[in-house]
């Protein structure tokens, strides 16, 4: 209750200026915190959520397939406009909040429960990774009615990168690398927002956001620029397939004993 009161109070302070953006930030932080508290209380601290120091470096290394996603997003997001300080802070907080919430729910809780549920099953790792990755992809289906084609692509590459994040988490049981890399991928995808001043009029804000020129617009002819969205979508799908293959390599048979030992306890 205290968290929710603080969240709404802080949101109301910015209500006249950013009624929709700051609300989203605190919504995700609140949901993530409540999920963590509920799991801690329900299992009396016995359920491991992955907030640890061990294997942090290995986790970052295993999440390397996220880097091409960042580069692909930066291709269309970078601009020569001056950065708006408040928008930059908001985007950093917002994308970290989303990464935290989704990783806690999908990787720490869902994937963790699957690894426990399928304990003793020779296909435990395969089932846990595939099912959690598919559900992670389905979480991105929210815009299906508005833009079914883009949404279909988004579901596909979210599933692919979900395999990679799941594999990295299973190998390390450290959630921080997944949270950080997830947040950076989302931040690069929303890079254009840091160049636009926050304002209460949502439609005006969206119009200004659409008018932010990408750096590549100065170097490529118009005919090529019109193809960029399609190139980005296809590129994302290709990278997601490579990410899924990287996930399969991370969980290769020679690492099975190491994984079993790491997941011996819940």
């Amino acid at each position: 209750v205290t968290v929710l009161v603080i969240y709404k109070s802080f949101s109301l302070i910015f209500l006249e200026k950013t009624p929709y953006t700051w609300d989203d930030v605190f919504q995700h932080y609140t949901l993530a915190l409540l999920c963590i508290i509920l799991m801690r209380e329900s299992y009396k601290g016995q359920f491991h959520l992955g907030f640890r120091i061990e294997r942090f470096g290995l986790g970052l290394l295993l999440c390397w397939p996220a880097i091409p996603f960042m580069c692909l997003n930066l291709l269309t997001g970078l601009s020569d406009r001056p950065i708006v300080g408040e928008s930059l802070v908001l985007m950093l907080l917002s994308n970290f909040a989303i990464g935290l919430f989704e990783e806690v729910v999908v990787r720490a809780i869902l994937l963790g429960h699957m690894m426990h549920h399928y304990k003793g099953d020779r296909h435990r790792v395969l089932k846990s990774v595939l099912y959690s990755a598919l559900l992670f992809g389905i979480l991105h289906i929210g815009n299906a009615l508005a833009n079914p084609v883009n949404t279909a692509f988004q579901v596909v590459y979210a599933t692919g990168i979900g395999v990679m994040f799941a594999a990295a988490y299973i190998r390390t049981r450290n959630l921080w690398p997944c949270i950080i890399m997830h947040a950076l991928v989302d931040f690069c995808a929303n890079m254009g927002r840091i160049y636009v001043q926050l304002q209460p009029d949502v439609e005006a804000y969206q119009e200004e956001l659409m008018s932010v020129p990408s750096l590549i617009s100065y170097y490529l002819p118009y005919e090529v620029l019109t193809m960029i969205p399609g190139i980005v979508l296809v590129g994302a799908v290709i990278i997601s397939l490579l990410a899924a293959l990287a996930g399969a390599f991370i969980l290769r048979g020679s690492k099975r004993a190491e994984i079993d030992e790491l997941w011996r306890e819940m």
Side-chain angles (χ1 to χ4, degrees), residues 8 115 151 153 235 254 264:
K8 263 333 260 192
M115 287 293 288
T151 301
F153 276 100
S254 61
R264 186 180 301 277

Side-chain angles (χ1 to χ4, degrees), residues 175-250:
L175 197 62
W176 288 116
C178 296
I179 293 172
I180 292 171
M181 299 302 278
H182 189 154
L184 287 174
V185 169
D186 288 349
F187 176 78
C188 293
N190 296 294
M191 179 68 73
R193 296 178 183 273
I194 69 175
Y195 305 108
V196 178
Q197 185 68 50
L198 301 175
Q199 50 188 294
D201 189 330
V202 179
E203 291 185 3
Y205 175 76
Q206 293 294 336
E207 287 180 7
E208 186 175 353
L209 187 62
M210 293 296 293
S211 67
V212 176
S214 174
L215 276 178
I216 62 172
S217 65
Y218 297 111
Y219 304 104
L220 297 177
Y222 177 78
E223 294 77 12
V224 177
L225 289 176
T226 58
M227 300 170 60
I228 291 297
I231 294 174
V232 169
L233 287 175
V234 173
V237 172
I238 293 173
I239 294 173
S240 69
L241 293 175
L242 294 176
L245 290 174
F249 178 75
I250 291 170

Side-chain angles (χ1 to χ4, degrees), residues 140-152 154:
H140 295 77
I141 206 169
N143 297 322
L145 295 178
N147 197 329
V149 176
N150 283 2
T151 301
Q154 191 176 14

Side-chain angles (χ1 to χ4, degrees), residues 8-214:
K8 263 333 260 192
S9 299
F10 192 87
S11 177
L12 289 171
I13 293 173
F14 292 93
L15 186 60
E16 293 183 0
K17 190 174 185 181
T18 55
Y20 51 96
T21 46
W22 284 106
D23 233 32
D24 183 65
V25 172
F26 281 87
Q27 174 187 345
H28 282 93
Y29 276 120
T30 304
L31 290 172
L33 184 57
L34 289 176
C35 286
I36 293 170
I37 292 172
L38 285 171
M39 292 302 293
R40 293 290 189 189
E41 289 301 312
S42 298
Y43 289 89
K44 305 302 179 184
Q46 297 301 309
F47 188 87
H48 182 60
L49 286 167
F51 294 105
R52 63 197 302 179
I53 299 175
E54 294 84 358
R55 296 173 172 247
F56 175 77
L58 175 61
L60 285 179
L61 182 64
L62 295 179
C63 286
W64 71 264
I67 296 176
F69 275 99
M70 298 178 203
C71 296
L72 191 65
N73 290 329
L74 287 175
L75 181 67
T76 56
L78 284 174
S79 178
D80 63 343
R81 277 194 180 186
I83 296 174
V84 179
E86 184 185 8
S87 298
L88 174 61
V89 172
L90 173 67
M91 290 313 301
L92 288 172
L93 290 173
S94 176
N95 289 293
F96 186 82
I98 294 171
L100 174 66
F101 171 66
E102 293 188 356
E103 293 303 318
V104 165
V105 173
V106 178
R107 243 66 67 179
I109 297 177
L110 181 63
L111 179 59
H113 266 295
M114 287 183 176
M115 287 293 288
H116 179 70
H117 175 74
Y118 291 118
K119 193 172 184 177
D121 189 326
R122 58 192 295 264
H123 300 299
R124 171 170 78 153
V125 172
L126 178 62
K127 289 180 179 179
S128 300
V129 169
L130 289 182
Y131 294 163
S132 64
L134 285 171
L135 287 170
F136 182 60
I138 292 171
L139 283 177
H140 295 77
I141 206 169
N143 297 322
L145 295 178
N147 197 329
V149 176
N150 283 2
T151 301
F153 276 100
Q154 191 176 14
V155 169
V156 170
Y157 65 72
T159 301
I161 200 170
V163 170
M164 180 269 295
F165 280 138
Y169 183 61
I170 286 177
R171 277 285 305 278
T172 63
R173 291 202 80 172
N174 191 323
L175 197 62
W176 288 116
C178 296
I179 293 172
I180 292 171
M181 299 302 278
H182 189 154
L184 287 174
V185 169
D186 288 349
F187 176 78
C188 293
N190 296 294
M191 179 68 73
R193 296 178 183 273
I194 69 175
Y195 305 108
V196 178
Q197 185 68 50
L198 301 175
Q199 50 188 294
D201 189 330
V202 179
E203 291 185 3
Y205 175 76
Q206 293 294 336
E207 287 180 7
E208 186 175 353
L209 187 62
M210 293 296 293
S211 67
V212 176
S214 174

